[in-house]
Amino acid sequence: NAGVTQTPKFQVLKTGQSMTLQCAQDMNHNSMYWYRQDPGMGLRLIYYSASEGTTDKGEVPNGYNVSRLNKREFSLRLESAAPSQTSVYFCASKTFLGTYEQYFGPGTRLTVT
Amino acid sequence: KNEVEQSPQNLTAQEGEFITINCSYSVGISALHWLQQHPGGGIVSLFMLSSGKKKHGRLIATINIQEKHSSLHITASHPRDSAVYICAVDRETSGSRLTFGEGTQLTVNP
């Protein structure tokens, strides 16, 4: 099993450009998450999907949209990138919404100039 | 004040030393997680616990629910233990969304 995969690994955007970060898991998990990690701050939740067909906002959703394409895939879209969105983005999944172990992808390092 | 606080922020040790990383939280939780982030960036789950103590190899995690405190111990530390260790809590009222501490950077020198 590949676990949780993310593409791309690195990306540089200019202010105002758009892009989609892709995430897929092959563990048959129901719940999926997008986080951002910034220096001096803990991981912060952007959006999550408790199950296929549902999405909800996390702590820092502004400037992002998500799509739960199917049970395996959960994408994060930046419609008009801003320098404040320079960060490392992690996708994660777990079996169900509830107290279960989370599995993380390798991360995408995004720089917006 | 953050809801999840870790100490110390940075820790340097010599190979073989016993290491303790602390985590305090101020909210009701259903579980606490310890995660390890490797220098390359990947994050792996080490422990998930809601009471007592768990052990895996040289790693031991404890939690005191009454005091809202958890510790991660590493016995006989090794340079390969060098990583960022992150404490996260499953809040009781959050629909099980994790709240993370800022992490502790551990460096173990040979």
Side-chain angles (χ1 to χ4, degrees), chain B:
Chain B
K1 191 180 187 319
N2 292 339
E3 292 172 336
V4 180
E5 298 268 1
Q6 287 185 235
S7 63
Q9 283 189 305
N10 293 283
L11 180 57
T12 301
Q14 288 300 120
E15 184 172 355
E17 285 185 0
F18 180 84
I19 286 160
T20 296
I21 299 170
N22 295 299
C23 176
S24 297
Y25 53 92
S26 57
V27 294
I29 70 169
S30 55
L32 183 142
H33 302 251
W34 281 103
L35 309 168
Q36 180 190 55
Q37 185 168 23
H38 300 294
I43 300 172
V44 296
S45 176
L46 297 174
F47 296 104
M48 183 179 71
L49 64 168
S50 53
S51 65
K53 176 178 169 177
K54 286 191 176 181
K55 185 175 191 288
H56 185 243
R58 295 180 294 106
L59 274 60
I60 303 165
T62 64
I63 188 167
N64 184 319
I65 296 292
Q66 286 72 33
E67 294 186 6
K68 295 189 172 176
H69 181 268
S70 175
S71 293
L72 177 68
H73 306 286
I74 305 175
T75 62
S77 59
H78 190 276
R80 65 174 174 266
D81 297 325
S82 298
V84 175
Y85 292 85
I86 301 169
C87 172
V89 299
D90 258 310
R91 298 174 64 180
E92 281 175 333
T93 56
S94 71
S96 198
R97 291 152 42 170
L98 293 180
T99 300
F100 295 82
E102 290 183 25
T104 295
Q105 173 69 63
L106 171 66
T107 303
V108 182
N109 293 318

Side-chain angles (χ1 to χ4, degrees), chain A residues 2 4 7 9 15 21 23 32 34 36 38 56 58 62 67 69 79-80 82 87 91 93 106 108 113:
Chain A
V4 181
T7 55
K9 287 191 166 50
T15 298
L21 281 64
C23 174
M32 298 185 74
W34 276 107
R36 60 178 289 172
D38 301 294
D56 282 289
N62 291 346
S67 295
L69 303 167
E79 290 291 351
S80 179
S87 189
C91 178
S93 70
T108 295
T113 60

Side-chain angles (χ1 to χ4, degrees), chain A residues 1-112:
Chain A
N1 286 352
V4 181
T5 57
Q6 290 182 235
T7 55
K9 287 191 166 50
F10 301 93
Q11 184 72 48
V12 179
L13 291 178
K14 291 187 166 50
T15 298
Q17 287 185 319
S18 62
M19 78 161 296
T20 300
L21 281 64
Q22 306 286 354
C23 174
Q25 52 88 12
D26 62 2
M27 296 174 283
N28 202 33
H29 286 171
N30 287 282
S31 301
M32 298 185 74
Y33 302 80
W34 276 107
Y35 298 97
R36 60 178 289 172
Q37 185 178 42
D38 301 294
M41 306 186 78
L43 286 145
R44 292 181 293 168
L45 182 65
I46 305 171
Y47 271 93
Y48 70 104
S49 170
S51 60
E52 188 179 354
T54 69
T55 60
D56 282 289
K57 294 178 182 179
E59 297 172 69
V60 289
N62 291 346
Y64 305 96
N65 285 301
V66 289
S67 295
R68 183 74 183 265
L69 303 167
N70 47 55
K71 191 172 185 180
R72 288 187 65 246
E73 298 171 290
F74 188 37
S75 62
L76 178 72
R77 182 158 179 85
L78 287 70
E79 290 291 351
S80 179
S84 61
Q85 294 177 305
T86 293
S87 189
V88 182
Y89 292 84
F90 288 95
C91 178
S93 70
K94 63 180 180 181
T95 309
F96 292 106
L97 196 68
T99 304
Y100 298 93
E101 183 178 345
Q102 274 198 22
Y103 294 82
F104 288 82
T108 295
R109 188 172 294 273
L110 175 67
T111 302
V112 183

